[in-house]
Amino acid sequence: MSDANPFESLQEQVDDAAAYLDVESDVIERLKHPERVLELNLTVELDDGSLARFKGFRSQFNGDRGPYKGGIRYHPNVSRDEVKALSGWMAYKCAIVDIPLGGGKGGIIIDPTEYSEAELERLTRAYATELRPLVGPDRDIPAPDVNTGQREMNWFKDTYETLERTTAPGVITGKAIASGGSEGRVEATGRSTMFAAREAFDYLGQDISDATVAVQGYGNAGSIAARLIEDLGATVVAVSDSSGGVYDPDGIDARAVKSHKNETGSVTGYEGTEELTNEELLTLDVDLLVPAALENAIDADLAEDVEADVIAEAANGPLTPDADDVLTDRDVLVVPDILANAGGVTVSYFEWVQNRQRFSWSEERVNDELETVITSAFDDLVDAYESKGLPNFRTAAYVVAAQRIADAYAESGNWP
Ligand code: NAD
């Protein structure tokens, strides 16, 4: 795992695309920095009556195409630069899938496993209270990310609605269905990774049902991607989480290993498998590799040893820019995060639309519309890649996305 600064990685990715864009350099500079970043010190009463202080952030990267949109992460490694990078990736993600939203991201530096549910509720409500002037269904719409889910979203919504004395389910997405959530939201990120991987194999003229697959990170994104890719007929041979990995060349049942993780807390020890390290998993000789944990999982050195033909990035920023260069040289097809994991924000957008319509869509409609969005974004990416002779799919995705943001900015004009 590399310690590359994710914000510098984002800026490098934008620079790589800028060389192929019909956009002035001063506008490109604008597309490399967040519009604003809020830094917070949250004081929360713990169950024993003592006070604890937590640092939190919200970065609003770009709002040229619509309200800021992006998740809230609870993790000890959250930092200002990480949140800034994640907010930028959100802006480009919303643009590549062409939904009318900008990019934002939030985070709190915390290991949530060390706190009770009541403490986490007080923390989430404190965070929502501080963010209230900045967020809203037309301003900035948070969502879940690592270590947050429906529970935290429901607390956030309730806090906002109570303080505003209104009902505004569209202030946040990723809620429970009973709180105004959408069918299909929980599975959406893994589902888009599956669609992206399927399209990539199709592009290469290969059938994904013959593929062997390794998945790093077996949480929401990774475990669902594994299950849906398995449903296409592919064979999942290795999966891992922060405790380690398991391998079975004959195939691991993606659902059963998830049940094992739910029961024991980890994928390790799953019956009939061999143990392997995360590094061994990332360099396994498989057809498809799905990094679904955190940033910087693969650096340039590790990239030299990657054996997969296709990488579908379920995680945000799992490859460093240097790793990208190595994999481009080695002809490994990387479907970038801003497309492969865009299902989460796309169905968040559908949730927001349903909240505004005060009308619910069926799961079938959600999944069908998601498939249309991801496959047409993939086609736009391939068009740019081929027509402009771009070096790789990531640069193609940034070229399409950055042009869309720059066009929106040009139409609006600069003011004041
Ligand atoms: P999660 O907390 O549900 O799962 C993360 C998993 O990664 C856990 O199983 C954890 O044990 C594992 N992990 C952590 N460090 C690891 C390491 N060093 N090696 C192997 N495994 C490790 O989180 P998630 O929501 O699935 O998010 C995972 C990634 O997907 C993040 O990069 C996130 O930003 C991205 N993502 C998530 C969504 C979403 O809707 N959940 C949407 C877009 C992008």
Side-chain angles (χ1 to χ4, degrees):
M1 182 152 163
S2 144
D3 57 1
N5 179 318
F7 185 56
E8 288 169 11
S9 299
L10 165 81
Q11 295 193 315
E12 215 173 311
Q13 290 160 348
V14 178
D15 277 335
D16 286 346
Y20 303 94
L21 277 171
D22 182 19
V23 177
E24 299 294 329
S25 59
D26 44 2
V27 174
I28 295 294
E29 266 320 292
R30 187 170 181 277
L31 300 182
K32 287 165 58 182
H33 297 275
E35 291 173 12
R36 64 188 70 79
V37 183
L38 178 70
E39 183 171 323
L40 300 158
N41 284 297
L42 302 165
T43 304
V44 176
E45 187 175 330
L46 301 183
D47 293 342
D48 65 5
S50 65
L51 296 178
R53 186 179 66 86
F54 299 92
K55 195 173 273 300
F57 305 92
R58 182 75 185 168
S59 170
Q60 296 182 331
F61 194 89
N62 184 282
D64 292 337
R65 302 182 71 259
Y68 309 100
K69 184 89 191 81
I72 301 168
R73 179 174 293 193
Y74 286 0
H75 197 275
N77 295 344
V78 163
S79 68
R80 192 180 176 91
D81 271 358
E82 184 190 59
V83 172
K84 282 161 64 179
L86 289 162
S87 69
W89 285 324
M90 288 306 298
Y92 291 101
K93 193 177 300 185
C94 292
I96 181 69
V97 292
D98 211 4
I99 55 177
L101 296 169
K105 201 79 179 195
I108 299 179
I109 303 172
I110 182 175
D111 178 353
T113 60
E114 291 177 0
Y115 295 89
S116 71
E117 181 164 357
E119 290 166 338
L120 292 173
E121 177 171 354
R122 288 197 286 278
L123 175 67
T124 305
R125 289 187 185 278
Y127 183 66
T129 303
E130 289 298 323
L131 251 51
R132 179 168 70 120
L134 290 183
V135 298
D138 292 314
R139 288 188 181 142
D140 182 351
I141 308 145
D145 191 68
V146 175
N147 291 328
T148 63
Q150 292 184 344
R151 183 181 69 169
E152 288 75 15
M153 303 304 109
N154 301 343
W155 290 331
F156 193 108
K157 166 183 167 275
D158 182 64
T159 306
Y160 180 85
E161 290 183 331
T162 305
L163 294 172
E164 292 283 332
R165 300 194 61 75
T166 189
T167 57
V171 67
I172 197 156
T173 58
K175 304 176 292 289
I177 302 278
S179 258
S182 175
E183 296 288 351
R185 173 63 183 86
V186 171
E187 295 189 328
T189 302
R191 188 172 292 277
S192 67
T193 305
M194 175 273 284
F195 289 141
R198 187 192 69 189
E199 296 300 300
F201 277 79
D202 213 34
Y203 175 78
L204 293 173
Q206 295 172 20
D207 191 344
I208 196 168
S209 64
D210 298 330
T212 52
V213 187
V215 181
Q216 184 216 23
Y218 218 62
N220 175 286
S223 67
I224 291 169
R227 166 158 66 79
L228 296 175
I229 291 168
E230 184 183 76
D231 287 349
L232 295 177
T235 309
V236 177
V237 295
V239 304
S240 69
D241 59 25
S242 50
S243 309
V246 290
Y247 173 61
D248 182 347
D250 297 328
I252 297 172
D253 182 324
R255 287 174 175 78
V257 74
K258 179 64 177 159
S259 305
H260 173 81
K261 181 173 166 68
N262 290 346
E263 279 159 27
T264 65
S266 170
V267 297
T268 54
Y270 179 64
E271 63 175 11
T273 58
E274 293 166 34
E275 303 274 309
L276 85 177
T277 65
N278 265 292
E279 195 165 315
E280 287 165 341
L281 179 141
L282 294 167
T283 53
L284 263 184
D285 187 4
V286 287
D287 301 307
L288 170 64
L289 175 63
V290 179
L294 294 172
E295 299 95 69
N296 296 337
I298 302 178
D299 62 13
D301 284 345
L302 200 65
E304 296 283 1
D305 297 329
V306 165
E307 296 276 342
D309 301 319
V310 176
I311 297 179
E313 294 182 330
N316 284 309
L319 310 187
T320 65
D322 291 349
D324 244 346
D325 293 342
V326 171
L327 293 165
T328 300
D329 287 347
R330 297 189 53 226
D331 278 336
V332 176
L333 184 69
V334 177
V335 190
D337 46 7
I338 60 170
L339 174 62
N341 70 30
V345 74
T346 303
V347 176
S348 270
Y349 165 60
F350 297 159
E351 179 177 334
W352 177 77
V353 168
Q354 293 169 72
N355 291 158
R356 305 194 69 120
Q357 294 177 330
R358 306 267 171 179
F359 180 77
S360 298
W361 299 1
S362 68
E363 185 174 358
E364 191 185 2
R365 176 170 177 192
V366 169
N367 291 344
D368 286 351
E369 301 238 14
L370 174 62
E371 182 166 11
T372 304
V373 167
I374 299 297
T375 52
S376 62
F378 190 90
D379 292 345
D380 292 346
L381 181 159
V382 168
D383 272 359
Y385 175 73
E386 290 182 346
S387 66
K388 293 179 190 282
L390 299 174
N392 55 41
F393 273 16
R394 188 182 318 278
T395 302
Y398 276 88
V399 164
V400 174
Q403 189 70 56
R404 284 182 181 151
I405 299 174
D407 288 348
Y409 177 65
E411 294 298 332
S412 309
N414 199 42
W415 185 88

